[in-house]
Amino acid sequence: MTTFDGTANGLHEDYRFVLPQSRVPTHWYNIQADLPVRPAPVLHPVTRQPVGPDDLAVLFPMACILQEVSQERYIPIPDEVRDIYRLWRPTPLVRAVRLEKALDTPAHIYYKSEVGSPSGSHKLNTALAQAYYNKQEGVNSIATETGAGQWGSALAIAGDMFKIDIDVFMVKVSYEHKPYRRSVMQTYGARVTPSPSERTNAGRAILARRPDHTGSLGIAISEAVEVVATSGGKAKYSLGSVLNHVLLHQTIIGQEALDAMEQIGEYPDVVIGCVGGGSNFAGLAFPFLERNLTQGKQTRFVAVEPASCPSLTKGPYAYDYGDTAGMTPLVKMHTLGHDFEPAAIHAGGLRYHGMAPLVSLLVNSGHITPRAYHQNTCFEAGILFARTEATLPAPESNHAIRAAIDEALDAKAKGEKRVILFNLSGHGHFDMAAYDAYLAGRLQDSEFSDEALAQSLASLPEIA
Ligand SMILES: *Cc1c(COP(=O)(O)O)cnc(C)c1O
């Protein structure tokens, strides 16, 4: 174990494992090479025929489009991107010994900590790759949306690294309640517009109907896509989750975790991540899932979503649009319907109506188990984590922590030495209003409405 800067002092076991910089992965792992079934084709929103690379070229650089459909198992990471990864990667794998003690569990709880990235979450892993490929193809401007602000911050940093202008549509309620996320983006030179806005037809149409609309991720996507579609080819669009190439870029998380666990001599019985669009979960899970698919390992994979936005546990596996206005291609995924409006819970990054097609497919095939929790129980778990492990987690990550704790308690009840691994996707330093609300007892566990779901599902496109 000499490669680790553990904390052994003769009294305690090592519990923090950091691989040397040379172990930053050289390739991304593409699970499409190992899928049990072929993914459903992506369809054009108007013709409803399978899209080809040219249909997507308006939105994305060709390198990302090719990664979207690639069947190569390992895709090389460009040196320029890997060099920037090395500013904070490999990220630590930590055994949560203090949390284990507090729970009095025989389980070993490990977490992969993405909190130390410059943007405070895993999202910079793909932002850098996407900015790089855009630059390579001569693109100088990228439009995008951001909900809670984490994706916008990550892309703002990546854009600055590769000298690309970043144009962010930020969901209005977050713009107003999270001014410092906006300041972060502006510090790195990004333009930030509250959405819905007067800058686009999509935004103006919403404001005409409801001038006080506080926005949604689906609307902000429509605005960003419209800016790109009307830019005369000058700007491209970038998405922080959901798509295959985004999940691909996040697989460095799981590869590093696998590398470190092999050196420790442990292997997870269960791998856990929170899911909004599915990228941090997939990033950690897919390199381990490869072992299930190709080497007969039996690890369980648990994807944790909010009970108020339960695309995996309540949404059908069906074709739907990625945005509210219906401008994006149609993808087959677990969805609540593209005009579903989730309750205003504090895990903003988990309030998306759909789910990554690759995660959806693997839930449908039984390789991934979904689970849903209300937000109060997640904050309770997050605070126990903060007060034992010291790091204050993002509200999104609290969902993964809740599930990890429940696994550890279940192992205790059954007297099992279970090895649990979860992704600590980000820190919560910009989310203190949410913690305030929890501590004051003002956090609502909003009821999920089956009528509202039935209504939004009625607008799903009918695909023959
Ligand atoms: C965006 C975000 C998520 C949810 O997005 P995924 O694509 O599902 O990972 C989770 N945690 C944090 C900290 C985030 O910023």
Side-chain angles (χ1 to χ4, degrees):
M1 299 246 281
T2 50
T3 53
F4 287 127
D5 72 344
T7 52
N9 57 13
L11 293 173
H12 301 288
E13 275 183 82
D14 286 3
Y15 56 82
R16 182 171 177 276
F17 307 97
V18 183
L19 297 160
Q21 285 197 347
S22 59
R23 301 297 282 244
V24 170
T26 54
H27 292 70
W28 292 299
Y29 165 60
N30 179 16
I31 200 165
Q32 293 195 69
D34 296 314
L35 286 179
V37 287
R38 278 197 70 76
V42 173
L43 305 181
H44 191 280
V46 179
T47 66
R48 303 204 168 169
Q49 294 303 308
V51 295
D54 291 345
D55 296 311
L56 297 173
V58 194
L59 294 179
F60 303 109
M62 196 47 73
C64 291
I65 295 169
L66 295 177
Q67 289 178 355
E68 196 62 22
V69 293
S70 170
Q71 303 293 311
E72 289 294 316
R73 183 169 282 109
Y74 298 105
I75 296 180
I77 301 174
D79 286 342
E80 292 87 339
V81 174
R82 193 165 173 267
D83 262 357
I84 303 177
Y85 282 162
R86 281 155 29 110
L87 288 173
W88 78 97
R89 304 202 73 88
T91 60
L93 176 78
V94 187
R95 184 166 154 210
V97 281
R98 290 167 185 275
L99 177 62
E100 289 170 15
K101 279 208 187 79
L103 299 171
D104 188 24
T105 175
H108 288 185
I109 306 174
Y110 289 90
Y111 60 94
K112 182 71 168 153
S113 179
E114 293 294 304
V115 304
S117 111
S119 71
S121 82
H122 65 287
K123 291 205 172 71
L124 193 54
N125 296 334
T126 183
L128 284 167
Q130 294 191 49
Y132 168 81
Y133 288 123
N134 273 290
K135 192 67 184 186
Q136 284 294 101
E137 297 182 25
V139 177
N140 290 313
S141 171
I142 299 177
T144 195
E145 73 292 330
T146 194
Q150 285 127 326
W151 170 240
S153 308
L155 195 62
I157 295 172
D160 214 21
M161 296 283 125
F162 288 107
K163 299 295 159 234
I164 299 177
D165 294 333
I166 303 297
D167 187 358
V168 185
F169 287 90
M170 184 173 189
V171 176
K172 195 182 278 168
V173 62
S174 305
Y175 184 92
E176 283 162 1
H177 290 154
K178 292 191 155 187
Y180 297 131
R181 273 285 176 202
R182 169 175 51 70
S183 320
V184 169
M185 293 183 256
Q186 289 168 337
T187 300
Y188 289 95
R191 173 180 184 183
V192 189
T193 307
S195 164
S197 80
E198 296 284 351
R199 284 181 57 196
T200 65
N201 287 331
R204 284 187 294 270
I206 303 263
L207 289 174
R209 274 187 276 128
R210 273 168 63 186
D212 59 345
H213 202 296
T214 55
S216 75
L217 214 46
I219 295 168
I221 295 175
S222 297
E223 290 209 272
V225 168
E226 187 179 325
V227 162
V228 170
T230 55
S231 73
K234 288 204 190 67
K236 298 266 187 216
Y237 171 68
S238 177
L239 198 59
S241 187
V242 180
L243 299 178
N244 302 349
H245 69 269
V246 180
L247 274 51
L248 173 80
H249 300 153
Q250 296 295 352
T251 57
I252 49 176
I253 302 173
Q255 290 184 73
E256 288 176 8
L258 186 59
D259 189 353
M261 291 200 93
E262 271 175 349
Q263 299 204 39
I264 301 163
E266 294 243 61
Y267 196 84
D269 297 303
V270 55
V271 173
I272 298 167
C274 63
V275 284
S279 72
N280 87 84
F281 166 78
L284 178 66
F286 284 2
F288 291 94
L289 194 45
E290 176 188 16
R291 306 263 163 135
N292 277 33
L293 293 168
T294 65
Q295 297 176 21
K297 290 274 190 196
Q298 304 264 321
T299 299
R300 283 186 295 120
F301 297 90
V302 179
V304 191
E305 63 185 10
S308 57
C309 194
S311 49
L312 287 176
T313 51
K314 292 217 173 168
Y317 183 46
Y319 271 103
D320 199 4
Y321 300 101
D323 69 324
T324 303
M327 293 161 66
T328 68
L330 289 158
V331 294
K332 193 163 185 197
M333 60 181 174
H334 278 280
T335 179
L336 297 166
H338 55 276
D339 45 20
F340 181 82
E341 291 192 0
I345 55 161
H346 281 286
L350 306 184
R351 295 179 67 232
Y352 182 62
H353 68 269
M355 184 54 64
L358 286 173
V359 172
S360 297
L361 179 149
L362 288 158
V363 166
N364 205 55
S365 66
H367 290 85
I368 295 170
T369 309
R371 197 179 286 178
Y373 288 111
H374 282 295
Q375 60 178 349
N376 272 295
T377 189
C378 295
F379 273 91
E380 183 196 356
I383 287 175
L384 175 60
F385 182 85
R387 298 184 68 177
T388 48
E389 295 296 316
T391 296
L392 193 142
E396 292 85 357
S397 313
N398 287 346
H399 290 71
I401 296 171
R402 174 78 266 165
I405 289 176
D406 284 359
E407 286 284 341
L409 293 175
D410 183 60
K412 177 183 175 181
K414 293 176 178 153
E416 279 175 33
K417 183 200 157 268
R418 194 176 297 174
V419 178
I420 300 164
L421 170 65
F422 75 88
N423 203 1
L424 187 65
S425 53
H427 68 64
H429 295 180
F430 288 95
D431 301 282
M432 296 320 295
Y435 279 89
D436 260 359
Y438 174 79
L439 293 171
R442 281 189 281 107
L443 213 56
Q444 300 289 322
D445 278 343
S446 47
E447 273 318 307
F448 179 80
S449 154
D450 288 314
E451 291 87 81
L453 174 62
Q455 210 173 357
S456 66
L457 289 182
S459 64
L460 281 185
E462 279 181 37
I463 305 295

